[in-house]
């Protein structure tokens, strides 16, 4: 009985998946913050600010994807859900909300 060899793990050229704590913690913070205080994404008139919400939810999604160590094969999707995209989404949402206040 020949047994097939067990997979030894990722190839030497691939980066092993690892948890990235900073994007993951940022995603959890955004998730909990918006759940507890949804009015944070409202404009001065009280209506929802959709561009800020979209940027913040993109940041949350990117934080979860990058935070758990998933690395998409498609380059465009990898860039859209990278740790850098997570921070970019938070910055864009902050700038959008700051522009509504002043």
């Amino acid at each position: 009985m020949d047994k097939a060899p067990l997979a030894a793990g990722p190839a030497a050229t691939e980066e092993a998946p690892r948890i990235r704590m900073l994007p993951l913690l940022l995603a959890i913070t955004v998730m909990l913050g918006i759940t507890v205080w949804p009015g944070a994404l409202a404009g001065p008139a009280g209506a929802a600010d959709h561009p800020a919400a979209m940027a913040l939810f993109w940041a949350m999604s990117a934080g979860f994807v990058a935070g758990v160590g998933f690395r998409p094969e498609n380059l465009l999707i990898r860039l859209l859900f990278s740790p850098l995209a997570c921070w970019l989404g938070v910055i864009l949402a902050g700038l959008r909300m700051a522009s509504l206040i002043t």
Side-chain angles (χ1 to χ4, degrees):
M1 289 199 291
D2 292 319
K3 290 187 177 182
L6 296 175
T13 58
E14 292 181 18
E15 182 182 323
R18 61 186 171 92
I19 292 186
R20 293 182 173 119
M21 289 306 293
L22 203 54
L24 187 58
L25 289 175
L26 183 64
I28 292 170
T29 302
V30 169
M31 178 189 67
L32 292 175
I34 297 305
T35 301
V36 172
W37 188 32
L41 288 175
D49 185 54
H50 292 111
M54 187 175 69
L56 203 55
F57 290 138
W58 170 45
M60 180 182 68
S61 300
F64 278 125
V65 169
V68 298
F70 181 70
R71 187 173 166 97
E73 290 183 19
N74 185 301
L75 180 62
L76 178 62
I77 295 174
R78 188 181 314 155
L79 292 173
L80 285 173
F81 293 106
S82 68
L84 181 61
C86 178
W87 288 106
L88 182 63
V90 169
I91 292 168
L92 288 174
L95 290 173
R96 170 69 183 181
M97 294 309 293
S99 72
L100 293 176
I101 292 172
T102 57

